[in-house]
Amino acid sequence: MIKKILFFSLIFIFSISCVNSNKTKKGDKLYVVTTTTMITDLVKNIGGDVIEVKGLMGSGVDPHLYKASEGDVSKLTNADVVFYSGLHLEGKLVDVFEKMGRNTNTVALAEVLDKRGLIGSEYFASNYDPHIWFNIKYWKEITIYLTEKLSELDPKNSLLFEKNSKAYLDKLDILENKIIQTIATLPKDKRILITAHDAFNYFGKQYGFEVIGLQGLSTATEAGVQDVQNLAKLIIEKQVKAIFIESSVPKRTIEALQEAVKAEGFDVKIGGTLYSDALGNAETNEGNYIGMFQYNVNTIVKALK
Ligand SMILES: [Zn+2]
């Protein structure tokens, strides 16, 4: 009996020390795996050089359809922590995360947001629209949550994380002011944003646009002929000047919509390519969240004016 108690106590002490130890799985630096390019960018901004960050998804990659490769699984199992967006954005990765749950620390960053403010959706198993990064206020909340999590996992660097976080939140404030000023130059009746899929509902709600996505909330559903016809009618009725391609969604549906509008004798332009569910190339200004947001707003406002 005593032996048994001793055995279980040892297991208990061992598991506690595992949880609390600051030792990382690989080397000295905290090894962090991230999913979307937006999350990767944020983690790099807060973590700086003192952590190692591996992003699974690259530029132009659609998170709704993304499946984990074998290489990804080994990265995930070696990770000290996995930060992902959540609310079932990464629809095909959810199972992988759930299976890993016991051995690897996984954090869905969007879980910190108050659900009462979110846009409901029957399409996602989460029951919410997951495209939360298009409200800068939510991105600030996520920045603060991420900073807390990194500080818990790597307490010796917590002061640096705090400092980086503060600097980044200031940049987000500046971004928010800038885009509000840019949008103010577009007359209210021209604020209709039509894109390939419904990624911009939070953007529309926060910054005053009517938003319509041809493919619905997820790219996993295709737009039907009827959807195209109905949207073409609306474009003509409201005299919408431009519609937009998205970098992570094939452009054929938006081109089909443009053709349908033309067939009715009205000309709608393709206003440009927006970054919706993925950032641009890492080397470009659109390769980071702030640059992407500014670029999207400039492109939208210029084309709809
Ligand atoms: Zn999406």
Side-chain angles (χ1 to χ4, degrees), residues 273-300:
T273 301
L274 303 181
Y275 296 97
S276 53
D277 292 5
L279 301 175
N281 282 326
E283 306 80 48
T284 65
N285 198 32
E286 296 81 62
N288 66 75
Y289 175 86
I290 290 173
M292 171 280 288
F293 216 114
Q294 188 76 67
Y295 168 88
N296 275 356
V297 170
N298 290 346
T299 305
I300 292 166

PDB file of all heavy atoms in Angstrom, residues 273-300:
ATOM      1  N   THR A 273      -6.942  42.624 -55.961  1.00  0.00           N
ATOM      2  CA  THR A 273      -6.902  41.401 -55.149  1.00  0.00           C
ATOM      3  C   THR A 273      -6.784  41.788 -53.688  1.00  0.00           C
ATOM      4  O   THR A 273      -5.881  42.539 -53.314  1.00  0.00           O
ATOM      5  CB  THR A 273      -5.686  40.538 -55.549  1.00  0.00           C
ATOM      6  OG1 THR A 273      -5.796  40.221 -56.936  1.00  0.00           O
ATOM      7  CG2 THR A 273      -5.636  39.251 -54.753  1.00  0.00           C
ATOM      8  N   LEU A 274      -7.694  41.298 -52.880  1.00  0.00           N
ATOM      9  CA  LEU A 274      -7.634  41.564 -51.434  1.00  0.00           C
ATOM     10  C   LEU A 274      -7.012  40.367 -50.723  1.00  0.00           C
ATOM     11  O   LEU A 274      -7.134  39.232 -51.172  1.00  0.00           O
ATOM     12  CB  LEU A 274      -9.043  41.814 -50.880  1.00  0.00           C
ATOM     13  CG  LEU A 274      -9.841  42.949 -51.511  1.00  0.00           C
ATOM     14  CD1 LEU A 274     -11.191  43.071 -50.824  1.00  0.00           C
ATOM     15  CD2 LEU A 274      -9.082  44.283 -51.429  1.00  0.00           C
ATOM     16  N   TYR A 275      -6.348  40.663 -49.614  1.00  0.00           N
ATOM     17  CA  TYR A 275      -5.830  39.595 -48.757  1.00  0.00           C
ATOM     18  C   TYR A 275      -6.883  39.316 -47.697  1.00  0.00           C
ATOM     19  O   TYR A 275      -7.188  40.188 -46.889  1.00  0.00           O
ATOM     20  CB  TYR A 275      -4.499  40.019 -48.141  1.00  0.00           C
ATOM     21  CG  TYR A 275      -3.448  40.225 -49.197  1.00  0.00           C
ATOM     22  CD1 TYR A 275      -3.172  41.493 -49.697  1.00  0.00           C
ATOM     23  CD2 TYR A 275      -2.785  39.127 -49.750  1.00  0.00           C
ATOM     24  CE1 TYR A 275      -2.237  41.670 -50.706  1.00  0.00           C
ATOM     25  CE2 TYR A 275      -1.851  39.302 -50.764  1.00  0.00           C
ATOM     26  CZ  TYR A 275      -1.578  40.573 -51.231  1.00  0.00           C
ATOM     27  OH  TYR A 275      -0.667  40.751 -52.242  1.00  0.00           O
ATOM     28  N   SER A 276      -7.465  38.122 -47.758  1.00  0.00           N
ATOM     29  CA  SER A 276      -8.539  37.820 -46.817  1.00  0.00           C
ATOM     30  C   SER A 276      -8.085  36.837 -45.750  1.00  0.00           C
ATOM     31  O   SER A 276      -7.913  37.212 -44.594  1.00  0.00           O
ATOM     32  CB  SER A 276      -9.762  37.283 -47.560  1.00  0.00           C
ATOM     33  OG  SER A 276      -9.397  36.199 -48.390  1.00  0.00           O
ATOM     34  N   ASP A 277      -7.845  35.589 -46.133  1.00  0.00           N
ATOM     35  CA  ASP A 277      -7.513  34.565 -45.146  1.00  0.00           C
ATOM     36  C   ASP A 277      -6.018  34.261 -45.082  1.00  0.00           C
ATOM     37  O   ASP A 277      -5.609  33.327 -44.397  1.00  0.00           O
ATOM     38  CB  ASP A 277      -8.290  33.272 -45.451  1.00  0.00           C
ATOM     39  CG  ASP A 277      -9.785  33.443 -45.219  1.00  0.00           C
ATOM     40  OD1 ASP A 277     -10.219  34.571 -44.922  1.00  0.00           O
ATOM     41  OD2 ASP A 277     -10.520  32.447 -45.330  1.00  0.00           O
ATOM     42  N   ALA A 278      -5.233  35.028 -45.838  1.00  0.00           N
ATOM     43  CA  ALA A 278      -3.771  34.855 -45.798  1.00  0.00           C
ATOM     44  C   ALA A 278      -3.125  36.187 -46.152  1.00  0.00           C
ATOM     45  O   ALA A 278      -3.680  36.964 -46.926  1.00  0.00           O
ATOM     46  CB  ALA A 278      -3.322  33.782 -46.784  1.00  0.00           C
ATOM     47  N   LEU A 279      -1.939  36.434 -45.597  1.00  0.00           N
ATOM     48  CA  LEU A 279      -1.201  37.657 -45.914  1.00  0.00           C
ATOM     49  C   LEU A 279      -0.493  37.509 -47.257  1.00  0.00           C
ATOM     50  O   LEU A 279      -0.469  36.422 -47.840  1.00  0.00           O
ATOM     51  CB  LEU A 279      -0.157  37.927 -44.816  1.00  0.00           C
ATOM     52  CG  LEU A 279      -0.679  38.106 -43.391  1.00  0.00           C
ATOM     53  CD1 LEU A 279       0.488  38.247 -42.418  1.00  0.00           C
ATOM     54  CD2 LEU A 279      -1.595  39.325 -43.305  1.00  0.00           C
ATOM     55  N   GLY A 280       0.137  38.592 -47.727  1.00  0.00           N
ATOM     56  CA  GLY A 280       0.920  38.531 -48.960  1.00  0.00           C
ATOM     57  C   GLY A 280       2.288  37.895 -48.715  1.00  0.00           C
ATOM     58  O   GLY A 280       2.581  37.416 -47.616  1.00  0.00           O
ATOM     59  N   ASN A 281       3.125  37.901 -49.751  1.00  0.00           N
ATOM     60  CA  ASN A 281       4.481  37.350 -49.625  1.00  0.00           C
ATOM     61  C   ASN A 281       5.241  38.029 -48.501  1.00  0.00           C
ATOM     62  O   ASN A 281       5.132  39.244 -48.321  1.00  0.00           O
ATOM     63  CB  ASN A 281       5.265  37.557 -50.921  1.00  0.00           C
ATOM     64  CG  ASN A 281       4.845  36.553 -51.962  1.00  0.00           C
ATOM     65  OD1 ASN A 281       4.513  35.411 -51.642  1.00  0.00           O
ATOM     66  ND2 ASN A 281       4.824  36.980 -53.213  1.00  0.00           N
ATOM     67  N   ALA A 282       6.032  37.237 -47.800  1.00  0.00           N
ATOM     68  CA  ALA A 282       6.746  37.743 -46.614  1.00  0.00           C
ATOM     69  C   ALA A 282       7.615  38.956 -46.929  1.00  0.00           C
ATOM     70  O   ALA A 282       7.792  39.836 -46.095  1.00  0.00           O
ATOM     71  CB  ALA A 282       7.591  36.632 -46.002  1.00  0.00           C
ATOM     72  N   GLU A 283       8.155  39.024 -48.151  1.00  0.00           N
ATOM     73  CA  GLU A 283       9.086  40.117 -48.486  1.00  0.00           C
ATOM     74  C   GLU A 283       8.333  41.423 -48.764  1.00  0.00           C
ATOM     75  O   GLU A 283       8.942  42.487 -48.825  1.00  0.00           O
ATOM     76  CB  GLU A 283       9.922  39.795 -49.732  1.00  0.00           C
ATOM     77  CG  GLU A 283      10.686  38.479 -49.698  1.00  0.00           C
ATOM     78  CD  GLU A 283       9.801  37.299 -50.013  1.00  0.00           C
ATOM     79  OE1 GLU A 283       9.057  37.363 -51.005  1.00  0.00           O
ATOM     80  OE2 GLU A 283       9.826  36.324 -49.242  1.00  0.00           O
ATOM     81  N   THR A 284       7.028  41.361 -48.993  1.00  0.00           N
ATOM     82  CA  THR A 284       6.286  42.564 -49.364  1.00  0.00           C
ATOM     83  C   THR A 284       5.658  43.224 -48.127  1.00  0.00           C
ATOM     84  O   THR A 284       5.580  42.613 -47.050  1.00  0.00           O
ATOM     85  CB  THR A 284       5.150  42.224 -50.354  1.00  0.00           C
ATOM     86  OG1 THR A 284       4.203  41.389 -49.675  1.00  0.00           O
ATOM     87  CG2 THR A 284       5.679  41.502 -51.585  1.00  0.00           C
ATOM     88  N   ASN A 285       5.185  44.443 -48.324  1.00  0.00           N
ATOM     89  CA  ASN A 285       4.536  45.156 -47.233  1.00  0.00           C
ATOM     90  C   ASN A 285       3.230  44.466 -46.812  1.00  0.00           C
ATOM     91  O   ASN A 285       2.819  44.538 -45.655  1.00  0.00           O
ATOM     92  CB  ASN A 285       4.267  46.599 -47.675  1.00  0.00           C
ATOM     93  CG  ASN A 285       4.001  47.501 -46.499  1.00  0.00           C
ATOM     94  OD1 ASN A 285       4.543  47.300 -45.418  1.00  0.00           O
ATOM     95  ND2 ASN A 285       3.135  48.483 -46.700  1.00  0.00           N
ATOM     96  N   GLU A 286       2.588  43.782 -47.762  1.00  0.00           N
ATOM     97  CA  GLU A 286       1.343  43.078 -47.451  1.00  0.00           C
ATOM     98  C   GLU A 286       1.601  41.745 -46.746  1.00  0.00           C
ATOM     99  O   GLU A 286       0.673  41.006 -46.443  1.00  0.00           O
ATOM    100  CB  GLU A 286       0.530  42.820 -48.735  1.00  0.00           C
ATOM    101  CG  GLU A 286       0.052  44.076 -49.422  1.00  0.00           C
ATOM    102  CD  GLU A 286       1.129  44.738 -50.292  1.00  0.00           C
ATOM    103  OE1 GLU A 286       1.596  44.119 -51.252  1.00  0.00           O
ATOM    104  OE2 GLU A 286       1.499  45.892 -49.971  1.00  0.00           O
ATOM    105  N   GLY A 287       2.893  41.449 -46.536  1.00  0.00           N
ATOM    106  CA  GLY A 287       3.264  40.209 -45.844  1.00  0.00           C
ATOM    107  C   GLY A 287       3.140  40.312 -44.333  1.00  0.00           C
ATOM    108  O   GLY A 287       3.406  39.357 -43.614  1.00  0.00           O
ATOM    109  N   ASN A 288       2.722  41.486 -43.834  1.00  0.00           N
ATOM    110  CA  ASN A 288       2.431  41.580 -42.403  1.00  0.00           C
ATOM    111  C   ASN A 288       1.014  42.142 -42.208  1.00  0.00           C
ATOM    112  O   ASN A 288       0.455  42.763 -43.128  1.00  0.00           O
ATOM    113  CB  ASN A 288       3.479  42.435 -41.676  1.00  0.00           C
ATOM    114  CG  ASN A 288       3.441  43.879 -42.106  1.00  0.00           C
ATOM    115  OD1 ASN A 288       2.540  44.622 -41.714  1.00  0.00           O
ATOM    116  ND2 ASN A 288       4.374  44.286 -42.940  1.00  0.00           N
ATOM    117  N   TYR A 289       0.464  41.889 -41.049  1.00  0.00           N
ATOM    118  CA  TYR A 289      -0.946  42.231 -40.776  1.00  0.00           C
ATOM    119  C   TYR A 289      -1.237  43.711 -41.010  1.00  0.00           C
ATOM    120  O   TYR A 289      -2.223  44.067 -41.671  1.00  0.00           O
ATOM    121  CB  TYR A 289      -1.282  41.843 -39.327  1.00  0.00           C
ATOM    122  CG  TYR A 289      -2.665  42.255 -38.864  1.00  0.00           C
ATOM    123  CD1 TYR A 289      -3.772  41.439 -39.107  1.00  0.00           C
ATOM    124  CD2 TYR A 289      -2.860  43.455 -38.179  1.00  0.00           C
ATOM    125  CE1 TYR A 289      -5.041  41.824 -38.683  1.00  0.00           C
ATOM    126  CE2 TYR A 289      -4.127  43.838 -37.753  1.00  0.00           C
ATOM    127  CZ  TYR A 289      -5.213  43.024 -37.997  1.00  0.00           C
ATOM    128  OH  TYR A 289      -6.461  43.406 -37.579  1.00  0.00           O
ATOM    129  N   ILE A 290      -0.384  44.581 -40.502  1.00  0.00           N
ATOM    130  CA  ILE A 290      -0.643  46.021 -40.600  1.00  0.00           C
ATOM    131  C   ILE A 290      -0.604  46.482 -42.060  1.00  0.00           C
ATOM    132  O   ILE A 290      -1.501  47.184 -42.526  1.00  0.00           O
ATOM    133  CB  ILE A 290       0.357  46.799 -39.705  1.00  0.00           C
ATOM    134  CG1 ILE A 290       0.001  46.538 -38.234  1.00  0.00           C
ATOM    135  CG2 ILE A 290       0.333  48.299 -40.029  1.00  0.00           C
ATOM    136  CD1 ILE A 290       0.968  47.084 -37.222  1.00  0.00           C
ATOM    137  N   GLY A 291       0.411  46.028 -42.791  1.00  0.00           N
ATOM    138  CA  GLY A 291       0.531  46.385 -44.206  1.00  0.00           C
ATOM    139  C   GLY A 291      -0.625  45.832 -45.022  1.00  0.00           C
ATOM    140  O   GLY A 291      -1.160  46.497 -45.923  1.00  0.00           O
ATOM    141  N   MET A 292      -1.026  44.605 -44.707  1.00  0.00           N
ATOM    142  CA  MET A 292      -2.148  43.957 -45.402  1.00  0.00           C
ATOM    143  C   MET A 292      -3.434  44.758 -45.215  1.00  0.00           C
ATOM    144  O   MET A 292      -4.177  45.022 -46.158  1.00  0.00           O
ATOM    145  CB  MET A 292      -2.312  42.532 -44.846  1.00  0.00           C
ATOM    146  CG  MET A 292      -3.543  41.765 -45.269  1.00  0.00           C
ATOM    147  SD  MET A 292      -5.087  42.169 -44.382  1.00  0.00           S
ATOM    148  CE  MET A 292      -4.810  41.454 -42.763  1.00  0.00           C
ATOM    149  N   PHE A 293      -3.686  45.174 -43.987  1.00  0.00           N
ATOM    150  CA  PHE A 293      -4.939  45.873 -43.671  1.00  0.00           C
ATOM    151  C   PHE A 293      -4.992  47.207 -44.414  1.00  0.00           C
ATOM    152  O   PHE A 293      -5.989  47.561 -45.043  1.00  0.00           O
ATOM    153  CB  PHE A 293      -5.043  46.103 -42.154  1.00  0.00           C
ATOM    154  CG  PHE A 293      -6.436  45.988 -41.633  1.00  0.00           C
ATOM    155  CD1 PHE A 293      -6.796  44.968 -40.763  1.00  0.00           C
ATOM    156  CD2 PHE A 293      -7.406  46.902 -42.018  1.00  0.00           C
ATOM    157  CE1 PHE A 293      -8.089  44.856 -40.292  1.00  0.00           C
ATOM    158  CE2 PHE A 293      -8.707  46.795 -41.547  1.00  0.00           C
ATOM    159  CZ  PHE A 293      -9.046  45.776 -40.683  1.00  0.00           C
ATOM    160  N   GLN A 294      -3.872  47.920 -44.355  1.00  0.00           N
ATOM    161  CA  GLN A 294      -3.796  49.219 -45.022  1.00  0.00           C
ATOM    162  C   GLN A 294      -3.976  49.057 -46.536  1.00  0.00           C
ATOM    163  O   GLN A 294      -4.718  49.810 -47.169  1.00  0.00           O
ATOM    164  CB  GLN A 294      -2.413  49.836 -44.704  1.00  0.00           C
ATOM    165  CG  GLN A 294      -2.245  51.251 -45.170  1.00  0.00           C
ATOM    166  CD  GLN A 294      -2.978  52.233 -44.259  1.00  0.00           C
ATOM    167  OE1 GLN A 294      -2.603  52.392 -43.104  1.00  0.00           O
ATOM    168  NE2 GLN A 294      -4.003  52.855 -44.762  1.00  0.00           N
ATOM    169  N   TYR A 295      -3.317  48.051 -47.090  1.00  0.00           N
ATOM    170  CA  TYR A 295      -3.405  47.779 -48.533  1.00  0.00           C
ATOM    171  C   TYR A 295      -4.861  47.452 -48.927  1.00  0.00           C
ATOM    172  O   TYR A 295      -5.380  47.984 -49.912  1.00  0.00           O
ATOM    173  CB  TYR A 295      -2.482  46.606 -48.903  1.00  0.00           C
ATOM    174  CG  TYR A 295      -2.729  46.095 -50.302  1.00  0.00           C
ATOM    175  CD1 TYR A 295      -2.079  46.651 -51.405  1.00  0.00           C
ATOM    176  CD2 TYR A 295      -3.658  45.068 -50.526  1.00  0.00           C
ATOM    177  CE1 TYR A 295      -2.343  46.202 -52.692  1.00  0.00           C
ATOM    178  CE2 TYR A 295      -3.931  44.619 -51.809  1.00  0.00           C
ATOM    179  CZ  TYR A 295      -3.270  45.192 -52.884  1.00  0.00           C
ATOM    180  OH  TYR A 295      -3.552  44.752 -54.152  1.00  0.00           O
ATOM    181  N   ASN A 296      -5.502  46.576 -48.163  1.00  0.00           N
ATOM    182  CA  ASN A 296      -6.895  46.213 -48.478  1.00  0.00           C
ATOM    183  C   ASN A 296      -7.793  47.457 -48.504  1.00  0.00           C
ATOM    184  O   ASN A 296      -8.567  47.653 -49.430  1.00  0.00           O
ATOM    185  CB  ASN A 296      -7.449  45.241 -47.426  1.00  0.00           C
ATOM    186  CG  ASN A 296      -7.111  43.788 -47.714  1.00  0.00           C
ATOM    187  OD1 ASN A 296      -6.515  43.476 -48.752  1.00  0.00           O
ATOM    188  ND2 ASN A 296      -7.487  42.897 -46.814  1.00  0.00           N
ATOM    189  N   VAL A 297      -7.676  48.271 -47.466  1.00  0.00           N
ATOM    190  CA  VAL A 297      -8.549  49.444 -47.363  1.00  0.00           C
ATOM    191  C   VAL A 297      -8.269  50.418 -48.508  1.00  0.00           C
ATOM    192  O   VAL A 297      -9.198  50.934 -49.133  1.00  0.00           O
ATOM    193  CB  VAL A 297      -8.412  50.117 -45.969  1.00  0.00           C
ATOM    194  CG1 VAL A 297      -9.130  51.462 -45.940  1.00  0.00           C
ATOM    195  CG2 VAL A 297      -8.978  49.196 -44.891  1.00  0.00           C
ATOM    196  N   ASN A 298      -6.993  50.647 -48.804  1.00  0.00           N
ATOM    197  CA  ASN A 298      -6.659  51.546 -49.914  1.00  0.00           C
ATOM    198  C   ASN A 298      -7.234  51.011 -51.229  1.00  0.00           C
ATOM    199  O   ASN A 298      -7.801  51.777 -52.023  1.00  0.00           O
ATOM    200  CB  ASN A 298      -5.128  51.671 -50.072  1.00  0.00           C
ATOM    201  CG  ASN A 298      -4.506  52.452 -48.923  1.00  0.00           C
ATOM    202  OD1 ASN A 298      -5.218  53.111 -48.150  1.00  0.00           O
ATOM    203  ND2 ASN A 298      -3.203  52.375 -48.782  1.00  0.00           N
ATOM    204  N   THR A 299      -7.101  49.712 -51.452  1.00  0.00           N
ATOM    205  CA  THR A 299      -7.583  49.093 -52.698  1.00  0.00           C
ATOM    206  C   THR A 299      -9.110  49.214 -52.800  1.00  0.00           C
ATOM    207  O   THR A 299      -9.648  49.587 -53.852  1.00  0.00           O
ATOM    208  CB  THR A 299      -7.168  47.593 -52.739  1.00  0.00           C
ATOM    209  OG1 THR A 299      -5.762  47.524 -52.568  1.00  0.00           O
ATOM    210  CG2 THR A 299      -7.580  46.943 -54.057  1.00  0.00           C
ATOM    211  N   ILE A 300      -9.795  48.921 -51.716  1.00  0.00           N
ATOM    212  CA  ILE A 300     -11.267  48.962 -51.699  1.00  0.00           C
ATOM    213  C   ILE A 300     -11.757  50.385 -51.972  1.00  0.00           C
ATOM    214  O   ILE A 300     -12.606  50.613 -52.845  1.00  0.00           O
ATOM    215  CB  ILE A 300     -11.806  48.448 -50.331  1.00  0.00           C
ATOM    216  CG1 ILE A 300     -11.526  46.954 -50.151  1.00  0.00           C
ATOM    217  CG2 ILE A 300     -13.311  48.747 -50.196  1.00  0.00           C
ATOM    218  CD1 ILE A 300     -11.702  46.444 -48.721  1.00  0.00           C
TER     219      ILE A 300
END
